[in-house]
Amino acid sequence: MKTSSYVYGQWFDGQGNTVEVKSSLTGEVISLVDSSGMDFSEVVGYAKRVGGKKLREMTVHERAEALKALGLYLLENKAKYYQVSHQSGATKADSWVDIEGGIGTMLSYSSLARRELPNETFIVEGDIEVLSKHGSFVGQHILTSKLGVSVHINAFNFPCWGMLEKIAPSLLAGVPVIVKPATATAYVTYAMVRDIIASGLLPEGALQLISGRTGDLLEHLDEQDVVTFTGSAVTGQMLKGHPNIAANNIPFNMEADSLNCSILGESVEKDDPEFDLFIKEVVREMTVKAGQKCTAIRRTIVPASKIDMVQAALIARLEKVTLGDPSVEGVRMGSLVGTDQREDVSQQVAKLLKTCDLVFGGNDAEFEVISAKPDAFYPPTLLRCNTPLTDNSPHEIEAFGPVTTLMPYNSLEEAIAIAKLGKGSLVGSVISYDNDEIKQLVLNAASYHGRMLVLNRDCAKESTGHGSPLAVLVHGGPGRAGGGEELGGLRAIKHYMQRTAIQGSPTTLMAITNEYVKGAQTVSFDKHPFRKYFDELMIGESLTTHRRTVTEADIVNFGCLSGDHFYAHFDETAVEDSFFGKRVAHGYFLISAAAGMFVDPGKGPVIANYGLENLRFIEPVGIGDTIQVKLTAKRKIKKAKRPDDKTATGVVVWNVEIYNQHEEMVALYDIMTLVERHDD
């Protein structure tokens, strides 16, 4: 089949410079890839003119809803992606990580954006910074969509996940994407992109696919564009050094090869659960995707006194691994992505064997391949380096396949030193049940790792494992690992946006951000704000309540009701020499009293209290003090109406300020109310 590109609104098959891609299992040609004749200038221009414009017109929540609908659509069609992925030699479990793991990541980002970000076309970041004595000059950071395109150059090992985990935050940021998958597995990416385009769930121009070479694509990028790369360090550094990338200071995020390690704690004995967990984790990382994972364990670091024991346990488990066609029952490991990759692994293992010993597998090993052509298969291979502090090859050479090297250490300090010799990794793991040992290893090795997993009996059942990046956690690493970051929750979305500091008066900043800023001009109306529908309320609309004097009876009654008899509220003698110097009201009484002062009791558009945030008690309130409350509409978040919702709603965030009779603020917080709206 032709693995077509989708560019400037149409499918494109190239003009004759075809690359043949073969099945890893049968050796038959299954895909023809060709991007020759493509106008890369128009690809970039189309993304900006068409896709970018449409995305920026959508709010963050609208973009998130589109991704949610797309994720559910892809799940309905997932069976065909498994069928296609099978040709790359991936087992069902391998493909699950790539296909459903990728879709799940996209859905996670959709949920995160709807939950954590405002329903605006921009993002307000952080708190207001007061820049003047009287507060008339303030500052605030905002993030707006870059007016460019994000180019995603992906690796062959995760043709679906690698695409989806990148496009989700970019599209949420309002930036269109150009996806360039690795040629060896572009046919898997193509199968999914074909459905994405057919669904019509993304704006036209939001996603383009280049199957084949990128030609002069990078020459047409400018300062508003972003490039993300996953693959070999050599290729990544070459692309990062492109003259146009450097000239325009185009952000280039790289995730490269990584000699990840796993450390078995000194305290772990053979009969401990952690010993078995360690063996299983190492073998799993060797065999999942046939070891073709940027997060796989390449260096297995164990106490010198236990290395023979660990070696025997690993061999015993590796001997049970069956290789072959993943569709055949009992097969536990598939092939490498192709014969070129197998040859590369063989060459790297040969280099490693100049300083390491072969203890299992290797280039000359005899192994059975079930129901598949053996050319692209490579056996699980265990090497051993007895002098890891002086032999550099296992810290510099990566065999990107089912290969790991055992290394002994004599102290935790040595284990840390060995881990650091990798010069930067995506992930390291520590398997131990001794928290002091764990703390020493993690804190001293963390600077060389983007993520560190601690695995023991307490978390093993629910742990996602050494090799699984998660949407909410950073994926990337220093040094050799590329020095970049992907995922990490909201961090990934912000990567595609421009952070700008804005300065001005509180009223001006409120007008820009659609959020109330303390000191901004407010408006008041005769109609109580709790009698207004979501779409009627104005940001900065305020209500100042009547006053209430706090009595001893208030304190006693609240203490009896709540059971809070803390001395500061009840013991006249004890408080004389205390921080307070007098009996004071409960802080939570003030919140309750404030609610009684600003809530309108009648039935209206306000449905429920949705939560309370950022509570601070600033000054104590004693018997005889008088309080007053100022309630101001701070932020409005329009919620998408779900099929089972009785009415359309939105969340209103209210700024609540409680003052005493001296006009001193005594408490400050935000409350959120769920409010009915009319504009659906």
Side-chain angles (χ1 to χ4, degrees):
M1 69 173 183
K2 287 187 177 181
T3 297
S4 304
S5 300
Y6 184 77
V7 290
Y8 29 87
Q10 62 188 23
W11 290 101
F12 182 90
D13 288 331
Q15 297 179 357
N17 191 13
T18 302
V19 176
E20 294 183 345
V21 178
K22 298 179 180 180
S23 167
S24 300
L25 302 177
T26 66
E28 298 174 352
V29 175
I30 57 171
S31 170
L32 301 176
V33 180
D34 184 6
S35 64
S36 60
M38 187 178 294
D39 184 345
F40 292 102
S41 174
E42 176 58 15
V43 174
V44 173
Y46 188 80
K48 296 181 180 183
R49 291 193 316 272
V50 180
K53 182 177 184 297
K54 292 180 179 179
L55 283 170
R56 291 192 299 274
E57 290 171 350
M58 302 167 70
T59 68
V60 173
H61 285 208
E62 288 170 340
R63 300 167 198 160
E65 288 292 341
L67 287 184
K68 178 183 177 182
L70 179 60
L72 297 176
Y73 176 83
L74 293 177
L75 284 175
E76 291 176 358
N77 290 275
K78 65 183 180 182
K80 69 175 73 171
Y81 315 137
Y82 278 98
Q83 187 175 7
V84 175
S85 178
H86 172 255
Q87 294 299 326
S88 70
T91 67
K92 181 71 179 290
D94 296 340
S95 295
W96 183 91
V97 174
D98 185 36
I99 296 166
E100 294 187 58
I103 297 170
T105 297
M106 185 168 67
L107 290 172
S108 294
Y109 265 101
S110 170
S111 176
L112 180 69
R114 288 178 283 124
R115 186 174 66 248
E116 301 289 340
L117 296 177
N119 194 9
E120 301 279 2
T121 58
F122 59 91
I123 298 172
V124 177
E125 183 181 54
D127 296 327
I128 286 286
E129 299 291 341
V130 179
L131 305 175
S132 64
K133 182 177 180 180
H134 299 293
S136 65
F137 185 58
V138 296
Q140 175 84 71
H141 290 95
I142 63 169
L143 295 112
T144 55
S145 304
K146 288 180 179 287
L147 303 183
V149 62
S150 60
V151 176
H152 300 161
I153 302 171
N154 296 328
F156 68 80
N157 51 345
F158 288 101
C160 295
W161 179 87
M163 172 181 67
L164 297 174
E165 63 96 3
K166 289 183 176 72
I167 71 169
S170 181
L171 295 176
L172 287 170
V175 178
V177 299
I178 297 171
V179 175
K180 195 289 179 199
T183 298
T185 51
Y187 60 91
V188 185
T189 309
Y190 163 75
M192 183 172 280
V193 170
R194 192 157 193 95
D195 280 349
I196 292 174
I197 299 303
S199 75
L201 293 169
L202 295 181
E204 174 56 42
L207 170 64
Q208 296 182 87
L209 173 70
I210 297 175
S211 299
R213 293 185 172 89
T214 55
D216 62 353
L217 174 68
L218 298 186
E219 295 178 16
H220 300 291
L221 303 182
D222 62 30
E223 65 281 348
Q224 287 291 303
D225 301 316
V226 178
V227 178
T228 68
F229 170 83
T230 301
S232 75
V234 172
T235 303
Q237 289 162 5
M238 178 189 68
L239 295 174
K240 190 175 183 179
H242 189 285
N244 190 48
I245 298 292
N248 286 291
N249 293 312
I250 296 171
F252 190 101
N253 189 83
M254 181 163 68
E255 186 238 297
D257 13 13
S258 175
L259 289 164
N260 312 291
C261 69
S262 186
I263 303 172
L264 180 67
E266 279 185 317
S267 62
V268 178
E269 301 295 338
K270 189 176 188 303
D271 294 333
D272 291 339
E274 285 70 30
F275 187 88
D276 287 338
L277 289 172
F278 181 77
I279 300 301
K280 290 177 182 177
E281 197 70 13
V282 171
V283 172
R284 179 167 68 170
E285 290 302 313
M286 291 176 69
T287 56
V288 169
K289 295 288 279 187
Q292 300 170 112
K293 292 171 59 181
C294 56
T295 54
I297 297 169
R298 305 299 180 198
R299 299 178 299 149
T300 302
I301 305 172
V302 301
S305 61
K306 300 181 176 72
I307 190 167
D308 292 335
M309 188 189 309
V310 169
Q311 178 176 309
L314 287 173
I315 291 174
R317 199 167 186 88
L318 290 171
E319 286 176 336
K320 299 177 183 177
V321 176
T322 51
L323 284 69
D325 184 333
S327 65
V328 176
E329 187 175 351
V331 170
R332 290 187 54 198
M333 193 178 99
S335 67
L336 298 179
V337 74
T339 54
D340 287 347
Q341 184 61 25
R342 188 199 187 284
E343 180 59 27
D344 181 72
V345 171
S346 298
Q347 290 176 3
Q348 300 309 312
V349 168
K351 293 177 184 178
L352 287 166
L353 286 175
K354 292 178 181 179
T355 57
C356 301
D357 297 322
L358 177 66
V359 295
F360 187 82
N363 293 342
D364 299 323
E366 294 183 1
F367 57 93
E368 180 184 6
V369 174
I370 299 173
S371 301
K373 193 174 181 179
D375 298 22
F377 284 82
Y378 192 85
T381 296
L382 183 63
L383 308 178
R384 177 165 167 170
C385 176
N386 290 316
T387 53
L389 288 169
T390 55
D391 287 335
N392 290 328
S393 62
H395 310 300
E396 296 177 349
I397 299 169
E398 180 178 25
F400 200 72
V403 182
T404 193
T405 302
L406 269 173
M407 304 176 184
Y409 70 85
N410 294 295
S411 67
L412 293 183
E413 289 76 14
E414 275 196 11
I416 294 163
I418 294 168
K420 291 178 178 179
L421 289 173
K423 297 181 181 179
S425 300
L426 295 172
V427 56
S429 56
V430 176
I431 289 78
S432 172
Y433 201 59
D434 184 325
N435 285 331
D436 290 334
E437 179 176 70
I438 291 166
K439 182 177 181 179
Q440 183 176 346
L441 289 167
V442 170
L443 294 184
N444 286 284
S447 62
Y448 277 74
H449 296 84
R451 174 170 59 90
M452 293 201 77
L453 166 77
V454 177
L455 184 64
N456 56 36
R457 68 195 76 174
D458 290 344
C459 64
K461 288 184 178 180
E462 295 186 319
S463 172
T464 51
H466 170 102
S468 300
L470 299 173
V472 294
L473 298 178
V474 165
H475 177 53
R480 182 187 175 110
E485 285 188 0
E486 295 176 347
L487 302 176
L490 297 181
R491 296 175 184 85
I493 300 172
K494 294 178 180 180
H495 174 71
Y496 297 98
M497 306 184 81
Q498 177 60 48
R499 179 178 288 103
T500 304
I502 55 174
Q503 300 166 284
S505 72
T507 300
T508 298
L509 263 63
M510 181 175 72
I512 294 171
T513 64
N514 291 337
E515 292 193 9
Y516 170 71
V517 177
K518 181 175 172 56
Q521 294 176 7
T522 59
V523 292
S524 298
F525 301 97
D526 292 337
K527 188 176 183 180
H528 193 288
F530 277 25
R531 308 298 300 173
K532 293 187 175 184
Y533 287 89
F534 178 87
D535 33 302
E536 295 179 289
L537 279 165
M538 296 174 56
I539 299 298
E541 186 168 338
S542 184
L543 169 72
T544 300
T545 70
H546 60 279
R547 295 179 175 85
R548 172 174 175 169
T549 300
V550 177
T551 66
E552 181 180 21
D554 290 331
I555 296 174
V556 172
N557 289 337
F558 189 84
C560 292
L561 180 65
S562 65
D564 181 354
H565 292 91
F566 187 60
Y567 80 92
H569 310 308
F570 287 93
D571 193 330
E572 195 79 53
T573 302
V575 296
E576 287 181 358
D577 297 325
S578 72
F579 169 82
F580 301 103
K582 62 179 181 180
R583 288 172 64 191
V584 296
H586 304 72
Y588 296 110
F589 165 75
L590 295 178
I591 298 172
S592 300
M597 297 165 74
F598 65 66
V599 167
D600 184 275
K603 184 179 179 181
V606 175
I607 299 170
N609 186 330
Y610 210 62
L612 182 151
E613 293 181 337
N614 306 316
L615 172 62
R616 288 182 58 208
F617 296 118
I618 300 167
E619 294 290 340
V621 174
I623 298 169
D625 285 340
T626 298
I627 60 173
Q628 189 174 31
V629 184
K630 183 177 181 181
L631 178 78
T632 307
K634 180 178 181 179
R635 185 186 309 125
K636 294 168 62 177
I637 306 169
K638 185 178 179 181
K639 292 173 64 68
K641 186 178 179 182
R642 298 175 180 175
D644 56 346
D645 288 342
K646 294 181 179 179
T647 183
T649 62
V651 174
V652 180
V653 181
W654 303 86
N655 176 254
V656 183
E657 300 170 336
I658 307 177
Y659 293 88
N660 63 18
Q661 67 272 24
H662 305 298
E663 297 186 355
E664 298 170 327
M665 188 183 295
V666 299
L668 174 69
Y669 56 97
D670 295 337
I671 62 164
M672 294 168 282
T673 55
L674 188 65
V675 182
E676 188 175 349
R677 72 175 203 263
H678 270 158
D679 62 343
D680 187 65

